[in-house]
């Protein structure tokens, strides 16, 4: 596989960076009107969900490179990798001579993105919202950028139907589970998800309730705040950053003092699948809902 030169990160640093790309950042305001590339022959996709959408549209033939968060579908791994989406090098991105750059909002660093936007290569910033409608908007923006609006409308309609069906499966559940999304437990400190995060969005779509209130983004929580949150379920990611065993998680005194700790209830899902907010999100919603509610999830 052809690789583009960019600053190399250790496996641990890269894993943590990919996790943060899924989790951090404030969603962008609504795009006024999506642009379209004049030349779609050599497009770089930056952002895992962007790459997934391009493949779902059947337009992968336009791709000349991807970023390191773009790991699905497996065929995408054959494309040259221009680096982690939040640590882009303008030289690395431009070295593949793209005709256009299709980047998820939040790509960076800011200085690198500014250089790319001022280059002769058209740059389209795709908005990110952790909602049902946000996924459909993303699909339409990508489709317009590639000049396949009709295909994008069809894909958006299909995804919309799947999302509605997935959300409907928990509509009749009265007792909503309180969920604490834990990003890390390093040093015995719990880093958890507040509002305006991908974790908060997927929990809501799956019929759960974010046990955390009072802050947005990801913050370290005090022991008292965790106990007060009373989570019934801990939600974590697989294949993202250092592994945390059940014994390590539930030996944390604050976690152990919650209903989730008493029941040793933890759900782990692949980070890109769980928090990608792309074409597979309906399936992720259903999988999470089944893990939460079992037979209460209706077909």
């Amino acid at each position: 596989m052809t690789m583009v030169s960019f600053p190399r990160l250790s496996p641990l640093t890269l894993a943590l960076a990919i996790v943060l790309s899924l989790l951090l950042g404030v969603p962008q305001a609504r795009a006024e009107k999506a642009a379209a590339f004049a030349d779609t022959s050599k497009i770089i996709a930056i952002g895992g969900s962007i790459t997934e959408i391009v493949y779902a549209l059947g337009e992968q033939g336009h791709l000349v490179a991807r970023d390191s968060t773009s790991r699905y579908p497996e065929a995408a791994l054959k494309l040259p990798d221009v680096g982690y989406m939040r640590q882009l090098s303008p030289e690395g991105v431009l070295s593949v001579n793209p005709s256009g750059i299709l980047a998820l909002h939040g790509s960076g660093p800011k200085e690198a993105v500014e250089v790319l936007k001022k280059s002769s290569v058209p740059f389209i910033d795709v908005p990110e919202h952790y909602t049902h409608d946000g996924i459909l908007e993303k699909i339409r923006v990508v489709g317009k950028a590639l000049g396949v609006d009709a295909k994008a409308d069809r894909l958006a309609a299909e995804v919309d139907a799947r999302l509605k069906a997935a959300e409907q499966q928990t509509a009749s559940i009265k007792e909503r589970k309180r969920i604490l999304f834990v990003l890390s437990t390093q040093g015995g400190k719990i880093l958890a998800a507040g509002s305006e995060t991908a974790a908060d969005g997927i929990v809501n779509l799956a019929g759960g309730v974010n046990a955390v209130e009072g802050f947005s983004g990801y913050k370290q929580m005090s022991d008292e705040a965790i106990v007060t949150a009373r989570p019934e379920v801990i939600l974590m990611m697989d294949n993202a950053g250092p592994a945390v065993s059940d014994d390590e998680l539930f030996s944390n005194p604050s976690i152990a003092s919650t209903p989730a700790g008493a029941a040793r209830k933890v759900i782990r899902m692949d980070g890109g699948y769980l928090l990608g907010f792309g074409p597979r999100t309906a399936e992720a919603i259903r999988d999470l809902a089944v893990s939460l509610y079992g037979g209460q999830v209706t077909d």
Side-chain angles (χ1 to χ4, degrees), residues 29-269:
R30 295 283 172 181
E32 292 180 4
K33 188 176 182 181
F37 292 121
D39 180 358
T40 61
S41 62
K42 298 175 69 177
I43 303 300
I44 294 179
I46 298 175
S49 60
I50 303 302
T51 302
E52 285 194 36
I53 291 169
V54 173
Y55 274 84
L57 289 169
E59 298 297 319
Q60 61 269 24
H62 296 287
L63 295 180
V64 69
R66 62 172 178 97
D67 79 305
S68 58
T69 71
S70 297
R71 306 190 62 79
Y72 183 90
E74 188 175 350
L77 297 176
K78 297 178 182 178
L79 291 166
D81 182 342
V82 298
Y84 167 53
M85 66 173 285
R86 294 187 188 277
Q87 291 184 345
L88 297 173
S89 158
E91 295 80 8
V93 173
L94 297 174
S95 69
V96 297
N97 298 314
S99 62
I101 301 167
L102 192 57
L104 188 63
H105 181 71
S107 298
K110 182 179 179 180
E111 296 77 13
V113 170
E114 288 302 316
V115 170
L116 291 171
K117 286 182 176 180
K118 291 176 181 177
S119 74
S120 61
V121 180
F123 186 107
I124 294 179
D125 194 307
V126 181
E128 174 81 297
H129 306 282
Y130 306 126
T131 63
H132 177 141
D133 288 343
I135 296 169
L136 306 184
E137 178 188 29
K138 202 186 297 186
I139 291 170
R140 293 191 178 102
V141 170
V142 172
K144 184 172 184 63
L146 297 177
V148 290
D149 299 68
K151 272 189 175 182
D153 286 342
R154 287 195 294 272
L155 177 60
E158 293 169 7
V159 171
D160 183 35
R162 296 204 303 268
L163 287 168
K164 286 177 178 175
E167 293 168 59
Q168 186 61 33
Q169 289 176 322
T170 60
S172 63
I173 294 174
K174 300 291 191 268
E175 298 285 334
R176 302 278 164 161
K177 300 284 189 183
R178 294 178 60 82
I179 302 168
L180 179 69
F181 181 92
V182 174
L183 174 58
S184 77
T185 62
Q186 289 185 350
K189 299 297 184 180
I190 302 298
L191 186 63
S195 62
E196 297 184 20
T197 59
D200 181 72
I202 199 70
V203 163
N204 291 331
L205 289 173
V209 175
N210 189 346
V212 171
E213 299 177 349
F215 68 82
S216 61
Y218 289 79
K219 290 187 179 180
Q220 210 171 74
M221 295 184 67
S222 68
D223 291 349
E224 181 182 4
I226 292 169
V227 173
T228 300
R230 297 178 292 104
E232 299 167 89
V233 179
I234 305 299
L235 179 60
M236 300 187 75
M237 292 187 295
D238 271 333
N239 309 317
V244 179
S245 68
D246 285 4
D247 286 343
E248 181 182 352
L249 175 66
F250 294 117
S251 66
N252 182 288
S254 59
I255 295 291
S257 300
T258 67
R264 291 180 68 87
K265 179 64 175 178
V266 59
I267 297 171
R268 303 174 191 271
M269 294 176 65

Side-chain angles (χ1 to χ4, degrees), residues 52 269-277 280-285 287:
E52 285 194 36
M269 294 176 65
D270 177 79
Y273 178 58
L274 178 67
L275 303 177
F277 279 80
R280 297 184 293 160
T281 295
E283 290 71 28
I285 290 170
D287 288 349

